Amino acid sequence: MTAFLSAASGTVTLQTFGLADGPLFGLPLPEMWFALVFFILGTFLFLDGFDFGVGAIFATREDEDEREQLLSAIGPFWDGNEVWLVVFGGALFAAFPAVYANLFSRNYLLMFAILGALIMRGLAPEMYEQRHDESWQRWWGRAFVAGSVLAPFFLGVFAANWFLGATTLVSLASIVVGVAVVALTVVSGAAFLGLKTRGSLRDETVRYGPPALVAYLGLVVVAVGYLLLTRPAMRADLLAAPSLGLLGLSVVLGVAYVVTMRRERYVPALAAAAGLTYGLVTLVATLLYPFADPVSGLTVSTAIVSTLPLNLMSIASALLLPLVFSYFVVLYSTFRGPVESGESYAGE
């Protein structure tokens, strides 16, 4: 790609060579961007997921010092993790603008519910630290828990509506998926607290992980069974090798999670939770493909933007995404290790 000055108009004209003729290097860019969008969604659900899980577990703590430790555990991370939701929306809009428009317009109220829950989750810890008044902190503590539970629930409903092609805001299947996502965040949150806390607090918080895992796997079975009974058109996809393989992998990862949690090996436990999260997102993408939006009939190949902007976006993403991941490596390396008793979210 070269640029040259146009003497006649005095303007800079962008001349492209090859970028508008076909996908870069002949790569299947529409499918790659479809996979990238869901990878970004999975990254958000995992990274911000353990923040949500810590928020849910926060409801079980009455001791002020323990609550401060839980807030301190996620304090350096949650706002950075939340960026992945913005990246997801941006990638969906850039690569599949028609899908973005249709999907978000159908789920308009649900989008506001997600944003409201995220705002509540973000604002509550800040307000919680402003006054050391029992009633004040009780109210904002409840707001923190509510935001941490409602945000993943609404995101699960949104994901279910997407791959089911639902035209209604809420359905039984979407509620089941929403509760399953909440349970999955507790699975991740318990493993994360195994790394970030010590002593009796760690012993008491990590025990919520295995029951949450059982609930998650049970809800996945319920959701799959419901779809098999009520969605005949989806039976072939649900019983196909990729879907069955992902469900089997979830069981294997669940067993690995329980074993590693009992052995107090929290890094592999958190890795197993990550595998469960990405597995769920991959299952949704597998059931959705080749459609990008079932309601409007848009497939991945018909919904993708034209060749030139797609190639340019692919080059930009190849350059920028490694920088983003490098930032998160530095962030998590800098704030690694458990929080200590007496530490507070405000850093006092």
Side-chain angles (χ1 to χ4, degrees):
M1 180 172 56
T2 61
F4 65 89
L5 289 176
S6 174
S9 61
T11 61
V12 177
T13 305
L14 185 65
Q15 190 74 285
T16 60
F17 296 97
L19 290 179
D21 297 336
L24 285 173
F25 308 114
L27 294 171
L29 291 183
E31 288 74 16
M32 292 176 66
W33 271 91
F34 182 74
L36 178 61
V37 165
F38 277 92
F39 171 76
I40 293 171
L41 178 60
T43 301
F44 168 73
L45 286 178
F46 170 61
L47 292 181
D48 216 23
F50 59 68
D51 295 332
F52 293 142
V54 171
I57 295 173
F58 183 89
T60 68
R61 303 293 93 196
E62 295 292 338
D63 182 76
E64 177 62 23
D65 182 59
E66 291 183 346
R67 287 190 160 204
E68 289 287 357
Q69 288 185 63
L70 295 194
L71 292 175
S72 298
I74 64 171
F77 308 115
W78 72 264
D79 50 350
N81 294 339
E82 208 168 79
V83 169
W84 286 102
L85 184 61
V86 179
V87 177
F88 163 72
L92 183 63
F93 174 75
F96 304 99
V99 174
Y100 179 94
N102 291 329
L103 189 62
F104 280 53
S105 62
R106 286 198 309 271
N107 294 278
Y108 195 69
L109 293 177
L110 189 56
M111 292 298 102
F112 273 98
I114 292 171
L115 290 175
L118 289 172
I119 290 171
M120 187 185 302
R121 191 282 303 265
L123 180 63
E126 304 292 341
M127 300 301 294
Y128 184 90
E129 297 291 338
Q130 295 303 310
R131 288 170 53 185
H132 294 282
D133 175 82
E134 183 177 351
S135 60
W136 173 272
Q137 291 192 324
R138 184 188 307 113
W139 197 96
W140 285 108
R142 290 172 178 171
F144 176 60
V145 173
S148 300
V149 171
L150 290 175
F153 172 76
F154 290 138
L155 284 164
V157 172
F158 169 77
N161 286 349
W162 187 0
F163 86 87
L164 291 175
T167 55
T168 58
L169 195 62
V170 178
S171 65
L172 179 60
S174 65
I175 291 174
V176 171
V177 174
V179 176
V181 172
V182 174
L184 184 56
T185 64
V186 177
V187 172
S188 299
F192 180 72
L193 288 176
L195 294 171
K196 299 297 292 182
T197 57
R198 292 178 174 176
S200 61
L201 177 59
R202 183 177 67 182
D203 295 339
E204 292 176 10
T205 53
V206 298
R207 64 186 177 91
Y208 293 104
L213 173 68
V214 172
Y216 167 71
L217 293 176
L219 288 165
V220 169
V221 170
V222 170
V224 171
Y226 176 82
L227 294 177
L228 286 172
L229 291 173
T230 61
R231 298 285 183 119
M234 297 186 67
R235 288 175 186 169
D237 291 332
L238 286 167
L239 298 175
S243 299
L244 293 177
L246 287 168
L247 292 172
L249 179 61
S250 295
V251 174
V252 172
L253 289 171
V255 172
Y257 176 86
V258 173
V259 170
T260 51
M261 288 288 279
R262 287 180 176 177
R263 295 180 178 177
E264 299 183 359
R265 298 178 60 192
Y266 300 113
V267 171
L270 191 59
L276 288 167
T277 304
Y278 283 107
L280 176 64
V281 173
T282 303
L283 179 62
V284 171
T286 301
L287 294 174
L288 187 62
Y289 186 82
F291 289 98
D293 182 28
V295 173
S296 61
L298 290 170
T299 64
V300 172
S301 58
T302 58
I304 196 71
V305 294
S306 59
T307 302
L308 177 58
L310 182 63
N311 285 339
L312 292 173
M313 289 190 305
S314 299
I315 294 171
S317 298
L319 295 174
L320 293 176
L321 282 178
L323 296 178
V324 174
F325 281 110
S326 298
Y327 163 76
F328 277 88
V329 169
V330 172
L331 174 66
Y332 280 88
S333 298
T334 301
F335 294 98
R336 66 183 182 275
V339 296
E340 302 293 341
S341 177
E343 289 188 36
S344 70
Y345 177 82
E348 296 176 353

